[in-house]
Amino acid sequence: EVQLVESGGGLVRAGGSLRLSCAASGLSFDEYAIGWFRRAPGKEREMVSCIVSTDGGTYYSTSVKGRFTISSDHAKDTVYLQMNSLEPEDAAVYFCAGHYTYTGGTCGEMEYQYDWWGQGTQVTVSS
């Protein structure tokens, strides 16, 4: 059974930075994708970014492109989300999620494409 554990959330002032981590365990195959989603109060959960473990292919939502950077340490099965220039609108519970993929495959941009989910970590941005 694959398990995902997020860490790194917290309180930061607007303009500041945070780095989230998502550690995966129980993986049976090397080719997988990890995505970061977030859910702000009163809003639907939305895709933020995702990465493919092997070739490093990435996707960013338009709201975070240029401010957030996703990366992976394949040896540790850990994915990071570096969040810079944080805005109050970025405040949310951030979830990491994952699914297996294949050679040349991309990471999913939709929730239904993900099979494993972490418990979430709170990010609060003060103005």
Side-chain angles (χ1 to χ4, degrees):
E1 179 184 359
V2 178
Q3 292 188 325
L4 302 177
V5 178
E6 303 101 332
S7 60
L11 171 64
V12 65
R13 288 178 181 252
S17 299
L18 279 176
R19 189 178 80 156
L20 305 182
S21 300
C22 174
S25 61
L27 291 162
S28 299
F29 304 101
D30 281 342
E31 297 181 358
Y32 58 88
I34 297 292
W36 285 98
F37 292 78
R38 67 186 182 187
R39 181 169 58 218
K43 294 187 177 182
E44 297 288 320
R45 188 159 56 185
E46 63 173 350
M47 156 63 76
V48 174
S49 180
C50 62
I51 188 167
V52 177
S53 64
T54 47
D55 65 13
T58 59
Y59 165 84
Y60 295 94
S61 69
T62 55
S63 62
V64 307
K65 191 174 293 184
R67 300 187 298 122
F68 291 11
T69 302
I70 192 169
S71 61
S72 69
D73 184 336
H74 197 44
K76 296 182 179 179
D77 288 331
T78 299
V79 169
Y80 305 97
L81 185 68
Q82 178 67 42
M83 306 186 295
N84 297 330
S85 302
L86 282 162
E87 304 167 352
E89 293 74 23
D90 295 315
V93 178
Y94 282 71
F95 301 87
C96 70
H99 64 83
Y100 286 121
T101 184
Y102 52 89
T103 302
T106 58
C107 53
E109 298 175 21
M110 307 297 288
E111 286 190 45
Y112 75 86
Q113 295 174 285
Y114 288 81
D115 299 308
W116 331 303
W117 290 83
Q119 79 287 355
T121 185
Q122 178 71 51
V123 171
T124 304
V125 183
S126 64
S127 56

